[in-house]
Amino acid sequence: MVLTDRELFLLIICTVFYITLFILVLQNNRKKIQLLQSRLDNIHALQKMAVIEQRGSDFNNILSSAIYQRIKQYLSSGQSMNEEDWAELTNVVNDVYNGFTDKIYSLCRMSNQDYRVSLLIKIRLQPKDIAVLTDHSKESVASTRSRLYQKVFGKKGSTRDWDDFLLSI
């Protein structure tokens, strides 16, 4: 089979196009791998810091705080938290878990809902209680937890995986 000049030219153009496309895809995948590796390194560093900090932290400070007592009242009456409560809880958690907010926001972009769910997980509340306090469904809370795990680690994980990670930092 003999190719005409036009067919040969098109074949060369297509070949160059596919090789260029292959190289671009390969470079993009390398960048993604580097990004995931840097996130993983960041996560490991946060976990190491948390192990050191937890020795000096006292979870009882959270349990005895005024905001924790109000949270228990909100749960018994089925109320959600207001903005002042969220600010107070953030301060208490940051005091006990040095810079928790900065650490969590350094992992990925988060909405208020994402952060609040993570904050309540950090103080060891159950998903049904988190749903009440955030005024969302239990399914929405579960979805947030698994989505955050996937966002941070780049792979699917269970809701429990996100909880375990948060408790480790």
Side-chain angles (χ1 to χ4, degrees), residues 15 46 51 97:
T15 304
L46 290 174
V51 167
Y97 301 104

mmCIF file of all heavy atoms in Angstrom, residues 15 46 51 97:
data_model
loop_
_atom_site.group_PDB
_atom_site.id
_atom_site.type_symbol
_atom_site.label_atom_id
_atom_site.label_comp_id
_atom_site.label_asym_id
_atom_site.label_seq_id
_atom_site.Cartn_x
_atom_site.Cartn_y
_atom_site.Cartn_z
ATOM 1 N N THR A 15 0.671 11.524 14.434
ATOM 2 C CA THR A 15 1.681 10.900 15.291
ATOM 3 C C THR A 15 2.288 11.936 16.240
ATOM 4 O O THR A 15 2.419 11.694 17.446
ATOM 5 C CB THR A 15 2.784 10.249 14.434
ATOM 6 O OG1 THR A 15 2.191 9.318 13.538
ATOM 7 C CG2 THR A 15 3.805 9.550 15.305
ATOM 8 N N LEU A 46 2.211 16.579 60.496
ATOM 9 C CA LEU A 46 1.170 16.983 61.440
ATOM 10 C C LEU A 46 0.916 15.905 62.481
ATOM 11 O O LEU A 46 0.734 16.196 63.664
ATOM 12 C CB LEU A 46 -0.135 17.294 60.692
ATOM 13 C CG LEU A 46 -0.162 18.548 59.829
ATOM 14 C CD1 LEU A 46 -1.473 18.612 59.048
ATOM 15 C CD2 LEU A 46 0.007 19.780 60.679
ATOM 16 N N VAL A 51 1.359 13.936 68.117
ATOM 17 C CA VAL A 51 1.745 12.961 69.135
ATOM 18 C C VAL A 51 2.500 13.659 70.250
ATOM 19 O O VAL A 51 2.252 13.428 71.428
ATOM 20 C CB VAL A 51 2.589 11.828 68.513
ATOM 21 C CG1 VAL A 51 3.256 10.984 69.578
ATOM 22 C CG2 VAL A 51 1.727 10.965 67.603
ATOM 23 N N TYR A 97 -5.517 21.487 71.334
ATOM 24 C CA TYR A 97 -4.777 20.881 70.221
ATOM 25 C C TYR A 97 -4.124 22.018 69.439
ATOM 26 O O TYR A 97 -4.682 22.505 68.459
ATOM 27 C CB TYR A 97 -5.705 20.060 69.329
ATOM 28 C CG TYR A 97 -6.389 18.956 70.078
ATOM 29 C CD1 TYR A 97 -7.729 19.064 70.455
ATOM 30 C CD2 TYR A 97 -5.692 17.809 70.439
ATOM 31 C CE1 TYR A 97 -8.347 18.045 71.153
ATOM 32 C CE2 TYR A 97 -6.299 16.788 71.147
ATOM 33 C CZ TYR A 97 -7.631 16.918 71.503
ATOM 34 O OH TYR A 97 -8.246 15.922 72.202
#
